[in-house]
Amino acid sequence: MDASCQCGAVSFKTPTPKPLALYICHCHECQRQTSSAFGTSAIFPRFPLPDAELLHCYKRQTSSGQTMYCYFCKKCGTRLIHTTPGKNVVAVKGGCIEGLDWKTAIHLWTKSAMVPIPEGSETYSEDSGSTDYCYTQGALDQPDELTG
């Protein structure tokens, strides 16, 4: 799938033709990050970014105590990828990817939702805790390697 930031300075193809999972997160952190009611993420196997010299990184603690690395375009500030050391997947921010079908997205942290959740959606009041898409945990790239 094709992905890019708002200004087009950072663009890349995802490592698989479709995501392993789609999440719509209603937590307070995603609301702040997007200045909106929720954040969207498409989960893909970990991959290196070709335009890494054009990225900055913001680090923050997650609710589980891990450090999340949040990569964004130096030029326009668009959030592109979130990653956590020790995981073989990355979250590509949903608005950066062309052609996603959000009908099957899982809604997380719905206890903080600011908008109605579509009827029939898979939902979790907090984090799902599910990692069914993590089919292997072998040797992983560390976040520093994404920025070269």
Side-chain angles (χ1 to χ4, degrees):
M1 302 185 89
D2 292 320
S4 66
C5 64
Q6 189 173 13
C7 74
V10 179
S11 63
F12 56 93
K13 287 204 177 284
T14 61
T16 56
K18 66 179 193 168
L20 303 171
L22 287 171
Y23 292 109
I24 298 175
C25 183
H26 301 268
C27 77
H28 294 296
E29 291 295 329
C30 284
Q31 291 170 355
R32 283 185 200 101
Q33 181 252 307
T34 61
S35 299
S36 186
F38 51 82
T40 59
S41 295
I43 308 304
F44 287 94
R46 185 178 288 277
F47 63 96
L49 292 180
D51 303 330
E53 68 279 354
L54 298 173
L55 296 176
H56 272 306
C57 182
Y58 164 72
K59 296 182 226 179
R60 73 170 185 86
Q61 292 301 117
T62 65
S63 60
S64 65
Q66 295 181 310
T67 300
M68 179 182 290
Y69 292 78
C70 309
Y71 293 91
F72 59 96
C73 174
K74 285 181 186 180
K75 201 170 177 183
C76 68
T78 301
R79 218 37 108 87
L80 294 162
I81 288 182
H82 290 180
T83 184
T84 305
K87 290 193 177 181
N88 61 344
V89 294
V90 298
V92 177
K93 302 311 293 176
C96 301
I97 304 171
E98 293 180 34
L100 286 175
D101 179 0
W102 290 97
K103 289 181 216 135
T104 61
I106 298 167
H107 290 259
L108 305 174
W109 292 98
T110 57
K111 71 180 186 178
S112 306
M114 299 171 79
V115 296
I117 307 301
E119 194 171 316
S121 296
E122 184 176 346
T123 64
Y124 296 89
S125 65
E126 294 186 3
D127 188 5
S128 75
S130 173
T131 57
D132 292 340
Y133 55 80
C134 295
Y135 45 84
T136 178
Q137 284 294 325
L140 307 171
D141 297 335
Q142 291 303 304
D144 314 10
E145 293 182 22
L146 285 175
T147 60

